[in-house]
Amino acid sequence: MKKAIALTTGLMLLSNVALARTSSLQDINYNFDQTKVNASENSFFFLRSFVDYYFGVIAKNTDSLNIAKKAGSFNGWCVGDAHPENFGILIQDDNSTIFTMNDLDDSGPCPVAYDLLRILVSSRLYMPNISSQDILNSYSDGLKGKNAKIPDAILSMDKDATKAGMQIAAKKLQGNAFKRKSTMEEVGQNLKVQLTSLLQAQYKSENLRVLDMVATSKVGGGSGGLQRYEILITNTQNQLIQLELKELVAPSIVPVATAPIPDQNSRMKKTLQITQGDNSSHYYNVFNIQGKNMLLRPKFSGNMGVTLADSSDKDNKEIINFEAYILGRIHANSVNVKDYTKALDNMDSKNWEDDIGAFTNLFNKKYNELKQ
């Protein structure tokens, strides 16, 4: 009985410490879109839906966050929305595959350690028992260019991606058109002509033809509510390929940006170079459509993102550690690795757990308050 009481007391003390640490994070004024809140299944998806809120809280708390005080001066190119389901297999221009960060929207110049904290926080929200030290070790290996074992789950995904290739899956089609869904809207004739002309002019050399297009928008996630157009094309190889035009807005890293945000075309090109190298698909582009900057990107069947619910806890831990490794490799392209590594080494486990705990508690609390 005495042991049980002691254990209960210990848990209460730990809880009080966590609450005290959370209260040291100053909140910000933020207008949460209730539609996106309601679409969030849990606090992990809630964090994904409000990327700029995360960076806004960091900007408000740089004097108290260990990561800001000890590693916040190492500026580079952030991917922005670094969470475990924003990585995956992408088919490149020579038909090879790459496992990398697959979301370009929130990238830009900022302290790269904030990307690292985001993957730590989001991973902890999804798997409360995951080891932050394992993630940090993997990230460090990536920064230093060490070799890493590719998890079996990712090798299996890569095999499936290679088999699927670039061509759209037949189940998405009805003849040479998209199979219509309730979430799709028809595109007006004038806009259809404009989009077709832009694409045909850009890809004239491959005799691109537009077969169909529909308008859509996503409800949840960081890009929820933004305009999208799905476009079905055929090229000189007679491949049926799905492309997507996705509205671009200011990246979520703006509150912590360390340099002026480049124009959207330059920003996307730099992010592609840093995350995919010289071999990214030539179907990536930026167009101005009716006054909106929109990212053109390929939606190849073989472009496969990580979905944690599809894997076991064991596989997910390996996947997340490998994602951290890849994030380190990406950051090594834009930061002073030697000095940055020293700064990270200067953070002990308590420093990390204080920051991770502060954010996980904040996002859990906010989600529970706002969820209807």
Side-chain angles (χ1 to χ4, degrees), residues 88-92 95-99 153-167 300-305:
I89 304 288
L90 297 176
I91 296 179
Q92 299 203 281
N95 289 309
S96 65
T97 59
I98 184 173
F99 184 86
I154 293 176
L155 290 174
S156 178
M157 185 190 302
D158 185 69
K159 184 178 179 180
D160 292 341
T162 302
K163 183 178 179 180
M166 295 183 179
Q167 187 141 312
F300 300 141
S301 291
N303 284 1
M304 297 184 176

Side-chain angles (χ1 to χ4, degrees), residues 9-19:
T9 304
L11 288 174
M12 290 174 63
L13 288 172
L14 285 172
S15 177
N16 290 336
V17 169
L19 289 172

Side-chain angles (χ1 to χ4, degrees), residues 60-348:
K60 184 78 171 180
N61 291 275
T62 52
D63 290 340
S64 61
L65 284 166
N66 296 305
I67 199 163
K69 292 186 289 185
K70 296 191 175 185
S73 63
F74 292 90
N75 305 324
W77 198 258
C78 293
V79 298
D81 192 10
H83 67 73
E85 293 193 338
N86 258 354
F87 289 76
I89 304 288
L90 297 176
I91 296 179
Q92 299 203 281
D93 234 20
D94 62 356
N95 289 309
S96 65
T97 59
I98 184 173
F99 184 86
T100 188
M101 168 72 174
N102 59 13
D103 188 339
L104 313 180
D105 295 25
D106 291 303
S107 56
C110 86
V112 293
Y114 298 165
D115 270 350
L116 172 57
L117 180 61
R118 185 164 177 82
I119 198 169
L120 285 160
V121 170
S122 55
S123 299
R124 183 66 63 80
L125 285 172
Y126 189 87
M127 300 184 72
N129 65 337
I130 197 165
S131 166
S132 60
Q133 193 57 56
D134 287 347
I135 295 173
L136 289 166
N137 291 341
S138 296
Y139 177 78
S140 179
D141 286 347
L143 265 181
K144 297 170 184 175
K146 294 183 178 180
N147 292 327
K149 181 181 181 296
I150 303 174
D152 290 340
I154 293 176
L155 290 174
S156 178
M157 185 190 302
D158 185 69
K159 184 178 179 180
D160 292 341
T162 302
K163 183 178 179 180
M166 295 183 179
Q167 187 141 312
I168 189 171
K171 65 182 180 180
K172 288 187 173 183
L173 299 176
Q174 189 165 4
N176 281 342
F178 290 116
K179 188 178 291 184
R180 287 332 194 233
K181 298 180 179 179
S182 60
T183 53
M184 295 176 174
E185 295 180 1
E186 299 303 321
V187 178
Q189 186 60 30
N190 289 341
L191 181 55
K192 189 178 291 186
V193 169
Q194 179 190 2
L195 295 180
T196 299
S197 297
L198 283 171
L199 291 171
Q200 288 180 337
Q202 182 66 40
Y203 299 103
K204 186 176 181 180
S205 62
E206 60 185 79
N207 194 31
L208 179 148
R209 291 190 299 122
V210 175
L211 302 179
D212 192 24
M213 66 177 67
V214 292
T216 65
S217 64
K218 185 182 175 187
V219 176
S223 56
L226 299 180
Q227 183 64 62
R228 301 178 187 224
Y229 298 103
E230 306 301 326
I231 303 168
L232 182 65
I233 68 161
T234 183
N235 57 18
T236 49
Q237 287 80 42
N238 291 319
Q239 293 173 305
L240 289 173
I241 292 174
Q242 180 180 357
L243 304 179
E244 181 180 70
L245 279 165
K246 180 182 180 184
E247 183 181 352
L248 289 170
V249 294
S252 294
I253 55 95
V254 165
V256 294
T258 55
I261 305 297
D263 64 85
Q264 298 288 25
N265 188 45
S266 299
R267 188 168 71 88
M268 293 299 101
K269 284 182 177 178
K270 182 161 185 176
T271 306
L272 283 168
Q273 179 64 40
I274 284 177
T275 58
Q276 296 187 44
D278 296 326
N279 200 23
S280 61
S281 171
H282 67 289
Y283 287 119
Y284 284 103
N285 221 314
V286 174
F287 294 109
N288 189 280
I289 311 295
Q290 297 183 329
K292 295 179 179 179
N293 285 311
M294 304 196 80
L295 172 67
L296 180 74
R297 61 177 183 172
K299 296 287 289 283
F300 300 141
S301 291
N303 284 1
M304 297 184 176
V306 167
T307 301
L308 296 175
D310 291 343
S311 300
S312 67
D313 283 355
K314 177 180 179 297
D315 283 341
N316 282 335
K317 288 177 182 178
E318 292 179 357
I319 289 169
I320 290 170
N321 287 335
F322 189 70
E323 290 172 340
Y325 170 81
I326 294 298
L327 186 63
R329 293 290 295 267
I330 290 170
H331 285 166
N333 292 322
S334 67
V335 74
N336 182 319
V337 172
K338 184 178 179 181
D339 291 344
Y340 175 48
T341 300
K342 285 182 180 178
L344 293 180
D345 289 343
N346 193 37
M347 287 185 63
D348 60 28

